[in-house]
C-alpha cells in the first residue's frame, strides 16, 4: 500500500471508531474560569526546562512532488547556480539558519536504493518512485544533498531504507558517508570525488514503519528486530552515530503506543531516540472550528507525554539507566492537499503534489506547535517542520522566484531567536472548553532565556478568536532592561494567505513593546501570535 492510501487508511480507522480522541494536556497553564481578559505569566530565568538543542528547529526535504526537483535543485532554471541548486532557495534557507535537515524521505525512503543516487549523473537510472507514483531521475542523491546542506549551513539527518531495504544496505550507506577510506563503499565515495568522509551523525531507521501504506511495512516486533540489526551493523561501521527508531506515525493509528512499546522492547538498548509524526488540520478533525484548531498544540503536548511514558515504561521494565529522547521528525499543518489524487504523481517527473496553501490561522497553529516543542525540549531534542520547499512547506517556488507562505514567519522567528534555556513559565489564563480536549487556556507562552546576554524571547499565542487580551509578565529575580523587537502576526481574516501576486498579505507587523521592568503588560490582538525580544542589558 503506497502513500496514496495513507489518508484512506486513516479515515477507515476513524470510521470504525478507533480514532483516538483529541486530548487534554498539561500545557503548564493554570486555567482560570473567572471572566478576565488578563493572563499572567511568572518568569524566572533560574527556572528552566532545559538548555535548547537547536536541532529542535530542523526541517525535512523529500523526493516528493517538487520539493527536490524544482524546489532546491533545478539545473535548467535561470535561478540555478553552477551545481544546479536554486540560488534563491539556497540563500533563503541559509539566511533562515535551519540547523538540521532530514532526507530523502518520508515514504520515499522505504523504496529507495541509495546506490542509484550516487556516481556520474549520466549513469544514474530513471526509476519509478513508488511512494508517490512519480518518475525519479536520481540526478539528486546523497552527495548533492550533503553538498547543498553545507552550502545552507545545515547538518544532514539521513534516513535509511528499512522498508524494501536491508540492514546491510543501511550499513553500506554509513560506510559510504562516514568511513575515511580503504573499504569498498568509502573508496566508492572517493571515486565519486568526495575525499573526506561526511561524518553524518544522526540517522533515522526507516520511516513510518507502522503504516500499512509504507513499502515493506511489517509488524512492530519484526520491525524492532530489523531496526536492532540495522543499528548493530551501522554502529559497527561507525560507533559514534545517533539512531532514531520509528515510533507511531499518527495518534489515530490502531497500534498507537502499542507499536512503540513492542518496537522498543526489541531495540531499546540499540537506539538513542524514537520518532513521532503529526499533521494537524482544520477539517473533519475540528469540524472547521478555528477555536478548536488553535488548540492543536495541546494535542501535540499530549502525544509527546504519551510517547515519553512508553519509553520510560520500557526503560523501567528493562531496568536501564539510559533514557531515550524524542525526534518529532515530521510535524506541520496539512489537511487540504492530502487526497489520493494529491499524492499520485501519475508517473510524471516533479509533479505538483501536496502543495498546501497556508493561511493566517495555520501560521498561528504552527506558532503554537513551536511553543509545545519548546516546553518539551528536555526530551524532544530534534524536530523537523515537514517539509521545507513546495510540498507542505513554508517556501514555494515558481520559475521566477520564491514565495514565503504564512507559516514561514513563526518558524523564522524561532530560528532567529531560539538560543539559550527554555524557561519553565507559570502561566495563568482564562480558558474555553473544547469537548475533545477539555479546558483550553486562551493564552499560551514560551520563553527562551539567553544567559550570556541576559535577553529573553517570548512567543505568545492568543487563541481568542474574537477578543484582544492582555498578558502581564511578572519577572522574578532579573527583569529585562530594554524591550527590543516586538512583532505580531494577526489580521482581520483568518483565512487570508499569501500568493505570488500578493506576497505580503499576511506578514508580521512591528508593534510597540511594553516598557521594560519587573512587570510588563503585553496587549495581544485577537487571534494573534507575538514575538518579543527583550534585552537583558
Ligand atoms: O511528508 C509527507 C509524507 O507524510 C511523508 O512522506 C510521510 O512520512 C508522511 O506520511
Amino acid at each position: 500500500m503506497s502513500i496514496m492510501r495513507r489518508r484512506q487508511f486513516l479515515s477507515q480507522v476513524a470510521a470504525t471508531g478507533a480514532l483516538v480522541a483529541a486530548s487534554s494536556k498539561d500545557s503548564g497553564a493554570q486555567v482560570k474560569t473567572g471572566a478576565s481578559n488578563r493572563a499572567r505569566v511568572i518568569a524566572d530565568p533560574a527556572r528552566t526546562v532545559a538548555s535548547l538543542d537547536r536541532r529542535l528547529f530542523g526541517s525535512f526535504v523529500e523526493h516528493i512532488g517538487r520539493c527536490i526537483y524544482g524546489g532546491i535543485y533545478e539545473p535548467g532554471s535561470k535561478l540555478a547556480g553552477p551545481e544546479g541548486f536554486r540560488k534563491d532557495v539556497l540563500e533563503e534557507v541559509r539566511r533562515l539558519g535551519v540547523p538540521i535537515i532530514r532526507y530523502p524521505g518520508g515514504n520515499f525512503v522505504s523504496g529507495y536504493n541509495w546506490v542509484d543516487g550516487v556516481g556520474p549523473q549520466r549513469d544514474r537510472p530513471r526509476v519509478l518512485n513508488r511512494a508517490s507514483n512519480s518518475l525519479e531521475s536520481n540526478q539528486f542523491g546523497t552527495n548533492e544533498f550533503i553538498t547543498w546542506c553545507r552550502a545552507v549551513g545545515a547538518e544532514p539527518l539521513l534516513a535509511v531504507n528499512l522498508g524494501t531495504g536491508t540492514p546491510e544496505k543501511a550499513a553500506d550507506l554509513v560506510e559510504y558517508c562516514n568511513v575515511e577510506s580503504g573499504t569498498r563503499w568509502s573508496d566508492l565515495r572517493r571515486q565519486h570525488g568526495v575525499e573526506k568522509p561526511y561524518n553524518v551523525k544522526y540517522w533515522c531507521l526507516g520511516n513510518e514503519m507502522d503504516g500499512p501504506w509504507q513499502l515493506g511495512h511489517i509488524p512492530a516486533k519484526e520491525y524492532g528486530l530489523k531496526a536492532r540489526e540495522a543499528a548493530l551493523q551501522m554502529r559497527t561501521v561507525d560507533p559514534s552515530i545517533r539512531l532514531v527508531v520509528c515510533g507511531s506515525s499518527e495518534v489515530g493509528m490502531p497500534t498507537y503506543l502499542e507499536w512503540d512499546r513492542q518496537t522498543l522492547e526489541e531495540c531499546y538498548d540499540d537506539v538513542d531516540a524514537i520518532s513521532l509524526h503529526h499533521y494537524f488540520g482544520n477539517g473533519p478533525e475540528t469540524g472547521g472550528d478555528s477555536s478548536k484548531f488553535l488548540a492543536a498544540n495541546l494535542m501535540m503536548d499530549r502525544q509527546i507525554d504519551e510517547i515519553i511514558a512508553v519509553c520510560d515504561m520500557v526503560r523501567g521494565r528493562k531496568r536501564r539507566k539510559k533514557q531515550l529522547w524524542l525526534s518529532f521528525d515530521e510535524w506541520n499543518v496539512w489537511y487540504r492537499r492530502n487526497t489520493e489524487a494529491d499524492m499520485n504523481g501519475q508517473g510524471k517527473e516533479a509533479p505538483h503534489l501536496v502543495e498546501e496553501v497556508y493561511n493566517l490561522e495555520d501560521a498561528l497553529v504552527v506558532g503554537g506547535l513551536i511553543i509545545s516543542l519548546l516546553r518539551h525540549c528536555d526530551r524532544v531534542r530534534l524536530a523537523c517542520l515537514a517539509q521545507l520547499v513546495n510540498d507542505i512547506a513554508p517556501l514555494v517556488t515558481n520559475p521566477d522566484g520564491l514565495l514565503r507562505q504564512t507559516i514561514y514567519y513563526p518558524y523564522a522567528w524561532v530560528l532567529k531567536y531560539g538560543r539559550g534555556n527554555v524557561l519553565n513559565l507559570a502561566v495563568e489564563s482564562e480558558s474555553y472548553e473544547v469537548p475533545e480536549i477539555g479546558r483550553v487556556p486562551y493564552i499560551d507562552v514560551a520563553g527562551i532565556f539567553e544567559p550570556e546576554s541576559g535577553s529573553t524571547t517570548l512567543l505568545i499565542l492568543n487563541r481568542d478568536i474574537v477578543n484582544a487580551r492582555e498578558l502581564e509578565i511578572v519577572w522574578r529575580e532579573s527583569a529585562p532592561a530594554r524591550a527590543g523587537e516586538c512583532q505580531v502576526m494577526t489580521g482581520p481574516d483568518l483565512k487570508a494567505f499569501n500568493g505570488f501576486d500578493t506576497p505580503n498579505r499576511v506578514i508580521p507587523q512591528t508593534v510597540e513593546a511594553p516598557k521594560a521592568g519587573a512587570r510588563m503588560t503585553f496587549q495581544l490582538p485577537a487571534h494573534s501570535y507575538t514575538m518579543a525580544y527583550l534585552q537583558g542589558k
Side-chain angles (χ1 to χ4, degrees):
M1 201 187 278
S2 75
I3 184 177
M4 293 170 279
R5 293 183 209 150
R6 180 183 210 265
R7 288 290 138 191
Q8 195 186 17
F9 173 78
L10 288 162
S11 36
Q12 273 163 16
V13 173
T16 61
L19 185 66
V20 176
S23 52
S24 90
K25 149 69 198 165
D26 171 18
S27 63
Q30 222 182 307
V31 290
K32 289 209 294 200
T33 42
S36 152
N37 80 346
R38 174 175 273 231
R40 195 162 75 127
V41 167
I42 299 184
D44 179 349
R47 285 193 62 202
T48 59
V49 178
S51 131
L52 250 183
D53 185 332
R54 297 248 325 150
R55 294 183 183 92
L56 196 63
F57 316 133
S59 190
F60 172 36
V61 295
E62 175 171 12
H63 287 252
I64 182 174
R66 297 190 307 124
C67 179
I68 302 293
Y69 304 107
I72 66 182
Y73 182 76
E74 198 175 18
S77 157
K78 62 180 181 196
L79 297 169
E83 288 166 306
F85 301 142
R86 275 194 61 141
K87 289 187 279 185
D88 53 348
V89 175
L90 191 150
E91 255 319 294
E92 181 69 68
V93 178
R94 200 185 57 76
R95 261 199 313 269
L96 272 173
V98 181
I100 189 163
I101 303 181
R102 183 168 174 252
Y103 172 86
N107 296 328
F108 171 77
V109 77
S110 298
Y112 184 48
N113 181 359
W114 68 265
V115 178
D116 289 347
V118 295
Q121 282 172 310
R122 63 177 180 279
D123 297 340
R124 299 186 195 172
R126 291 166 78 76
V127 299
L128 185 67
N129 170 348
R130 296 185 196 142
S132 57
N133 190 27
S134 319
L135 193 75
E136 172 56 55
S137 67
N138 279 309
Q139 293 304 289
F140 189 97
T142 307
N143 293 310
E144 288 76 20
F145 173 64
I146 295 180
T147 305
W148 183 80
C149 276
R150 288 182 170 170
V152 299
E155 179 180 3
L157 163 62
L158 290 184
V160 296
N161 175 356
L162 289 192
T164 62
T166 60
E168 185 188 8
K169 281 214 150 185
D172 292 347
L173 180 58
V174 178
E175 187 180 311
Y176 183 88
C177 290
N178 287 7
V179 170
E180 177 91 30
S181 65
T183 65
R184 176 179 175 184
W185 298 104
S186 61
D187 284 344
L188 185 66
R189 184 199 67 239
R190 290 163 75 94
Q191 247 180 56
H192 294 161
V194 184
E195 206 187 310
K196 288 281 156 215
Y198 294 128
N199 296 320
V200 177
K201 191 164 177 193
Y202 289 85
W203 297 80
C204 299
L205 297 171
N207 176 69
E208 295 190 346
M209 292 302 299
D210 62 326
W213 59 85
Q214 200 69 211
L215 292 164
H217 161 69
I218 43 179
K221 190 175 164 58
E222 274 174 55
Y223 168 66
L225 289 169
K226 189 170 182 180
R228 176 167 191 269
E229 180 58 26
L232 292 173
Q233 291 198 35
M234 291 164 78
R235 282 200 213 275
T236 304
V237 177
D238 182 352
S240 73
I241 55 179
R242 300 272 183 276
L243 298 174
V244 181
V245 72
C246 291
S248 289
S249 56
E250 290 258 0
V251 296
M253 296 296 289
T255 51
Y256 179 57
L257 301 181
E258 213 16 55
W259 166 274
D260 307 78
R261 183 189 69 76
Q262 288 183 27
T263 297
L264 289 178
E265 293 286 357
E266 302 306 328
C267 65
Y268 189 92
D269 293 335
D270 308 289
V271 301
D272 301 287
I274 189 163
S275 72
L276 300 80
H277 291 178
H278 202 142
Y279 293 101
F280 299 86
N282 196 11
E285 50 279 74
T286 55
D289 178 340
S290 298
S291 58
K292 286 187 184 169
F293 186 40
L294 292 182
N297 67 306
L298 301 189
M299 292 191 260
M300 178 189 249
D301 283 328
R302 175 165 166 181
Q303 184 182 356
I304 292 170
D305 290 342
E306 287 167 345
I307 298 296
I308 289 174
V310 174
C311 289
D312 291 350
M313 194 268 278
V314 176
R315 175 190 186 218
R317 276 165 60 110
K318 288 184 178 283
R319 313 298 315 146
R320 293 296 186 265
K321 194 165 165 225
K322 176 174 92 173
Q323 200 173 43
L324 299 189
W325 49 270
L326 275 51
S327 170
F328 216 122
D329 45 42
E330 285 186 38
W331 67 270
N332 201 347
V333 168
W334 180 22
Y335 66 103
R336 303 169 188 93
R337 297 299 176 108
N338 63 358
T339 63
E340 299 259 332
D342 291 312
M343 287 175 254
N344 185 345
Q346 310 282 359
K348 294 195 194 111
E349 209 167 336
H352 286 259
L353 298 180
V354 297
E355 298 200 6
E356 190 93 347
V357 175
Y358 290 106
N359 62 25
L360 171 61
E361 70 180 7
D362 299 331
L364 305 182
V365 167
V366 162
L369 295 168
I370 289 169
I371 290 176
S372 288
L373 290 172
L374 286 167
R375 70 170 150 250
H376 285 99
C377 74
D378 53 337
R379 289 300 288 273
V380 184
R381 305 238 191 97
L382 197 164
C384 303
L385 173 66
Q387 299 189 5
L388 188 56
V389 189
N390 287 334
D391 296 68
I392 46 172
L395 297 171
V396 177
T397 62
N398 74 7
D400 302 318
L402 185 63
L403 173 73
R404 294 170 174 177
Q405 296 225 63
T406 60
I407 62 167
Y408 167 95
Y409 295 101
Y411 183 50
W413 280 342
V414 81
L415 282 167
K416 182 166 177 194
Y417 293 105
R419 279 166 218 286
N421 300 329
V422 175
L423 295 177
N424 188 351
L425 300 173
V427 185
E428 278 176 22
S429 165
E430 209 192 334
S431 62
Y432 60 102
E433 183 70 20
V434 171
E436 300 85 355
I437 298 184
R439 300 301 300 175
V440 173
Y442 281 109
I443 304 300
D444 207 341
V445 196
I448 310 160
F449 176 72
E450 236 188 313
E452 275 146 41
S453 63
S455 63
T456 304
T457 299
L458 296 173
L459 298 168
I460 313 165
L461 173 64
N462 178 10
R463 297 189 178 101
D464 193 329
I465 305 281
V466 183
N467 301 304
R469 288 184 170 260
E470 281 185 354
L471 174 66
E472 184 190 34
I473 315 276
V474 181
W475 298 94
R476 294 272 183 263
E477 304 298 327
S478 57
R482 238 164 330 126
E485 210 182 343
C486 188
Q487 296 195 349
V488 62
M489 285 202 74
T490 190
D493 181 5
L494 277 169
K495 307 294 178 191
F497 57 88
N498 297 332
F500 278 98
D501 45 347
T502 50
N504 296 327
R505 211 162 146 218
V506 188
I507 55 171
Q509 300 147 34
T510 298
V511 289
E512 208 182 317
K515 207 165 148 301
R519 284 173 183 263
M520 300 173 71
T521 302
F522 286 84
Q523 305 297 331
L524 309 171
H527 57 263
S528 63
Y529 191 66
T530 301
M531 185 285 301
Y533 177 70
L534 310 170
Q535 289 169 328
K537 296 169 191 151

